[in-house]
PDB file of all heavy atoms in Angstrom:
ATOM      1  N   MET A  63      29.584  65.851  45.046  1.00  0.00           N
ATOM      2  CA  MET A  63      29.924  64.992  46.180  1.00  0.00           C
ATOM      3  C   MET A  63      31.416  65.078  46.444  1.00  0.00           C
ATOM      4  O   MET A  63      32.228  65.043  45.508  1.00  0.00           O
ATOM      5  CB  MET A  63      29.555  63.537  45.871  1.00  0.00           C
ATOM      6  CG  MET A  63      28.068  63.296  45.690  1.00  0.00           C
ATOM      7  SD  MET A  63      27.201  63.144  47.261  1.00  0.00           S
ATOM      8  CE  MET A  63      27.895  61.625  47.895  1.00  0.00           C
ATOM      9  N   LEU A  64      31.775  65.187  47.712  1.00  0.00           N
ATOM     10  CA  LEU A  64      33.182  65.065  48.071  1.00  0.00           C
ATOM     11  C   LEU A  64      33.581  63.595  47.970  1.00  0.00           C
ATOM     12  O   LEU A  64      32.733  62.705  48.063  1.00  0.00           O
ATOM     13  CB  LEU A  64      33.412  65.564  49.500  1.00  0.00           C
ATOM     14  CG  LEU A  64      33.257  67.062  49.756  1.00  0.00           C
ATOM     15  CD1 LEU A  64      33.566  67.365  51.220  1.00  0.00           C
ATOM     16  CD2 LEU A  64      34.151  67.889  48.849  1.00  0.00           C
ATOM     17  N   PRO A  65      34.858  63.328  47.778  1.00  0.00           N
ATOM     18  CA  PRO A  65      35.299  61.926  47.777  1.00  0.00           C
ATOM     19  C   PRO A  65      34.947  61.246  49.093  1.00  0.00           C
ATOM     20  O   PRO A  65      34.727  61.901  50.114  1.00  0.00           O
ATOM     21  CB  PRO A  65      36.819  62.042  47.600  1.00  0.00           C
ATOM     22  CG  PRO A  65      37.032  63.366  46.942  1.00  0.00           C
ATOM     23  CD  PRO A  65      35.967  64.258  47.488  1.00  0.00           C
ATOM     24  N   ALA A  66      34.909  59.934  49.058  1.00  0.00           N
ATOM     25  CA  ALA A  66      34.624  59.169  50.275  1.00  0.00           C
ATOM     26  C   ALA A  66      35.674  59.470  51.340  1.00  0.00           C
ATOM     27  O   ALA A  66      36.801  59.870  51.039  1.00  0.00           O
ATOM     28  CB  ALA A  66      34.608  57.684  49.957  1.00  0.00           C
ATOM     29  N   GLU A  67      35.290  59.266  52.580  1.00  0.00           N
ATOM     30  CA  GLU A  67      36.174  59.590  53.695  1.00  0.00           C
ATOM     31  C   GLU A  67      37.525  58.884  53.578  1.00  0.00           C
ATOM     32  O   GLU A  67      38.576  59.501  53.797  1.00  0.00           O
ATOM     33  CB  GLU A  67      35.491  59.207  55.008  1.00  0.00           C
ATOM     34  CG  GLU A  67      36.254  59.614  56.253  1.00  0.00           C
ATOM     35  CD  GLU A  67      35.535  59.201  57.522  1.00  0.00           C
ATOM     36  OE1 GLU A  67      34.529  59.835  57.859  1.00  0.00           O
ATOM     37  OE2 GLU A  67      35.980  58.215  58.150  1.00  0.00           O
ATOM     38  N   ARG A  68      37.508  57.605  53.213  1.00  0.00           N
ATOM     39  CA  ARG A  68      38.783  56.880  53.104  1.00  0.00           C
ATOM     40  C   ARG A  68      39.660  57.462  52.005  1.00  0.00           C
ATOM     41  O   ARG A  68      40.885  57.466  52.120  1.00  0.00           O
ATOM     42  CB  ARG A  68      38.519  55.399  52.856  1.00  0.00           C
ATOM     43  CG  ARG A  68      37.811  55.057  51.564  1.00  0.00           C
ATOM     44  CD  ARG A  68      37.653  53.552  51.388  1.00  0.00           C
ATOM     45  NE  ARG A  68      36.924  53.213  50.173  1.00  0.00           N
ATOM     46  CZ  ARG A  68      35.606  53.189  50.073  1.00  0.00           C
ATOM     47  NH1 ARG A  68      34.867  53.490  51.138  1.00  0.00           N
ATOM     48  NH2 ARG A  68      35.027  52.886  48.932  1.00  0.00           N
ATOM     49  N   GLN A  69      39.023  58.006  50.933  1.00  0.00           N
ATOM     50  CA  GLN A  69      39.795  58.622  49.865  1.00  0.00           C
ATOM     51  C   GLN A  69      40.400  59.950  50.327  1.00  0.00           C
ATOM     52  O   GLN A  69      41.541  60.270  50.001  1.00  0.00           O
ATOM     53  CB  GLN A  69      38.908  58.867  48.633  1.00  0.00           C
ATOM     54  CG  GLN A  69      39.672  59.368  47.404  1.00  0.00           C
ATOM     55  CD  GLN A  69      40.676  58.355  46.897  1.00  0.00           C
ATOM     56  OE1 GLN A  69      40.335  57.189  46.687  1.00  0.00           O
ATOM     57  NE2 GLN A  69      41.924  58.772  46.711  1.00  0.00           N
ATOM     58  N   LEU A  70      39.639  60.690  51.113  1.00  0.00           N
ATOM     59  CA  LEU A  70      40.157  61.949  51.659  1.00  0.00           C
ATOM     60  C   LEU A  70      41.324  61.686  52.604  1.00  0.00           C
ATOM     61  O   LEU A  70      42.299  62.449  52.627  1.00  0.00           O
ATOM     62  CB  LEU A  70      39.044  62.703  52.397  1.00  0.00           C
ATOM     63  CG  LEU A  70      37.929  63.278  51.527  1.00  0.00           C
ATOM     64  CD1 LEU A  70      36.820  63.860  52.400  1.00  0.00           C
ATOM     65  CD2 LEU A  70      38.464  64.352  50.592  1.00  0.00           C
ATOM     66  N   VAL A  71      41.239  60.614  53.372  1.00  0.00           N
ATOM     67  CA  VAL A  71      42.338  60.243  54.268  1.00  0.00           C
ATOM     68  C   VAL A  71      43.579  59.925  53.455  1.00  0.00           C
ATOM     69  O   VAL A  71      44.689  60.392  53.758  1.00  0.00           O
ATOM     70  CB  VAL A  71      41.937  59.038  55.150  1.00  0.00           C
ATOM     71  CG1 VAL A  71      43.161  58.481  55.880  1.00  0.00           C
ATOM     72  CG2 VAL A  71      40.852  59.447  56.144  1.00  0.00           C
ATOM     73  N   GLU A  72      43.393  59.156  52.392  1.00  0.00           N
ATOM     74  CA  GLU A  72      44.529  58.761  51.550  1.00  0.00           C
ATOM     75  C   GLU A  72      45.128  59.973  50.835  1.00  0.00           C
ATOM     76  O   GLU A  72      46.352  60.134  50.785  1.00  0.00           O
ATOM     77  CB  GLU A  72      44.072  57.717  50.529  1.00  0.00           C
ATOM     78  CG  GLU A  72      45.198  57.184  49.644  1.00  0.00           C
ATOM     79  CD  GLU A  72      44.696  56.123  48.679  1.00  0.00           C
ATOM     80  OE1 GLU A  72      43.708  55.432  49.008  1.00  0.00           O
ATOM     81  OE2 GLU A  72      45.304  55.992  47.596  1.00  0.00           O
ATOM     82  N   ASP A  73      44.274  60.837  50.282  1.00  0.00           N
ATOM     83  CA  ASP A  73      44.759  61.993  49.529  1.00  0.00           C
ATOM     84  C   ASP A  73      45.462  63.013  50.419  1.00  0.00           C
ATOM     85  O   ASP A  73      46.449  63.634  50.012  1.00  0.00           O
ATOM     86  CB  ASP A  73      43.600  62.680  48.806  1.00  0.00           C
ATOM     87  CG  ASP A  73      43.023  61.823  47.698  1.00  0.00           C
ATOM     88  OD1 ASP A  73      43.685  60.849  47.295  1.00  0.00           O
ATOM     89  OD2 ASP A  73      41.907  62.139  47.230  1.00  0.00           O
ATOM     90  N   SER A  74      44.921  63.224  51.610  1.00  0.00           N
ATOM     91  CA  SER A  74      45.464  64.270  52.483  1.00  0.00           C
ATOM     92  C   SER A  74      46.638  63.801  53.324  1.00  0.00           C
ATOM     93  O   SER A  74      47.441  64.619  53.791  1.00  0.00           O
ATOM     94  CB  SER A  74      44.360  64.789  53.415  1.00  0.00           C
ATOM     95  OG  SER A  74      43.955  63.776  54.329  1.00  0.00           O
ATOM     96  N   GLY A  75      46.718  62.489  53.551  1.00  0.00           N
ATOM     97  CA  GLY A  75      47.760  61.981  54.428  1.00  0.00           C
ATOM     98  C   GLY A  75      47.456  62.199  55.893  1.00  0.00           C
ATOM     99  O   GLY A  75      48.338  62.011  56.743  1.00  0.00           O
ATOM    100  N   LEU A  76      46.218  62.597  56.202  1.00  0.00           N
ATOM    101  CA  LEU A  76      45.828  62.841  57.588  1.00  0.00           C
ATOM    102  C   LEU A  76      45.178  61.598  58.185  1.00  0.00           C
ATOM    103  O   LEU A  76      44.840  60.655  57.469  1.00  0.00           O
ATOM    104  CB  LEU A  76      44.843  64.016  57.662  1.00  0.00           C
ATOM    105  CG  LEU A  76      45.357  65.359  57.147  1.00  0.00           C
ATOM    106  CD1 LEU A  76      44.246  66.400  57.194  1.00  0.00           C
ATOM    107  CD2 LEU A  76      46.566  65.823  57.963  1.00  0.00           C
ATOM    108  N   THR A  77      45.001  61.640  59.483  1.00  0.00           N
ATOM    109  CA  THR A  77      44.314  60.536  60.147  1.00  0.00           C
ATOM    110  C   THR A  77      42.810  60.609  59.858  1.00  0.00           C
ATOM    111  O   THR A  77      42.280  61.672  59.495  1.00  0.00           O
ATOM    112  CB  THR A  77      44.523  60.599  61.664  1.00  0.00           C
ATOM    113  OG1 THR A  77      43.934  61.806  62.167  1.00  0.00           O
ATOM    114  CG2 THR A  77      46.005  60.587  62.013  1.00  0.00           C
TER     115      THR A  77
END
Side-chain angles (χ1 to χ4, degrees):
M63 296 279 294
L64 291 182
E67 185 180 286
R68 63 177 178 276
Q69 187 64 51
L70 291 174
V71 169
E72 183 178 332
D73 292 344
S74 67
L76 300 176
T77 63

